[in-house]
Amino acid sequence: MKCPFCSKDNTRVIDSRPADDNNSIRRRRQCDECQRRFTTYEKVETIPLVVIKKDNNREPYERSKIEAGVFRSCHKRPISVDQITALVDEVENTIFNREDKEIPSHIIGEILMDKLKDLDPVAYVRFASVYREFKDVNTFMDELKKILDKE
């Protein structure tokens, strides 16, 4: 492993421990040249996933797109960054556990909405309004009624 500070190749592991609920390994390393320490994470490489968009275009899966959508829907809500990260991790685990090489974007959206509904109803409605492209107030009200009927 190359040192991020001096770019020398001789570094050594001084501590290893599980991270992210045993989904990765956190390693503390020290450079033998400059003696500085840094952290690396080792994760299992997953199968590349392709998302099939509404218009049938295909593009590589990007976690950042899900995170951005969730962050927007949770704006000014009492939801921590850790909760958002955990939600995105859950969605990602569900998607990758399907072991499909391609997945339609609407399935990702539905999985995400199910998880958001449990986390925060307001964030769920915000996400659903964009995702389902609510055309008018009546469509918005119908979705709110569904939530209220379940409570």
Side-chain angles (χ1 to χ4, degrees):
M1 175 68 60
K2 189 181 273 193
C3 175
F5 305 107
C6 70
S7 299
K8 300 291 183 191
D9 286 334
N10 43 342
T11 63
R12 59 190 159 94
V13 175
I14 54 176
D15 181 40
S16 287
R17 63 181 64 168
D20 297 333
D21 295 329
N22 289 329
N23 291 324
S24 64
I25 297 175
R26 176 186 177 270
R27 298 195 194 280
R28 285 295 290 162
R29 296 177 178 270
Q30 184 172 1
C31 177
D32 290 335
E33 293 289 323
C34 69
Q35 303 302 310
R36 294 189 65 185
R37 293 181 177 190
F38 59 99
T39 303
T40 60
Y41 290 89
E42 183 178 311
K43 233 179 181 176
V44 174
E45 191 172 43
T46 56
I47 304 164
L49 183 65
V50 174
V51 178
I52 305 169
K53 306 299 279 180
K54 288 179 187 176
D55 62 1
N56 276 335
N57 279 338
R58 285 163 168 70
E59 61 182 50
Y61 167 79
E62 291 180 46
R63 177 187 172 101
S64 60
K65 288 188 175 186
I66 292 175
E67 286 175 326
V70 173
F71 270 109
R72 275 193 303 275
S73 63
C74 294
H75 183 67
K76 292 190 178 182
R77 298 297 303 152
I79 300 168
S80 71
V81 172
D82 289 340
Q83 288 174 295
I84 292 172
T85 301
L87 181 133
V88 175
D89 287 344
E90 284 179 42
V91 170
E92 216 170 49
N93 285 337
T94 304
I95 292 167
F96 283 109
N97 285 340
R98 294 170 57 98
E99 296 183 4
D100 295 331
K101 292 181 181 167
E102 294 185 333
I103 185 167
S105 61
H106 70 87
I107 291 177
I108 296 172
E110 294 298 326
I111 293 168
L112 184 52
M113 285 194 296
D114 284 344
K115 305 279 185 199
L116 261 177
K117 195 182 294 184
D118 296 336
L119 180 67
D120 186 79
V122 173
Y124 163 74
V125 172
R126 286 177 177 172
F127 186 87
S129 69
V130 173
Y131 177 74
R132 292 199 174 130
E133 299 173 351
F134 291 173
K135 302 290 185 231
D136 55 25
V137 176
N138 292 329
T139 315
F140 203 87
M141 289 304 293
D142 291 342
E143 196 65 37
L144 289 174
K145 286 177 188 170
K146 286 181 198 173
I147 292 173
L148 292 173
D149 289 345
K150 289 180 182 176
E151 288 182 359

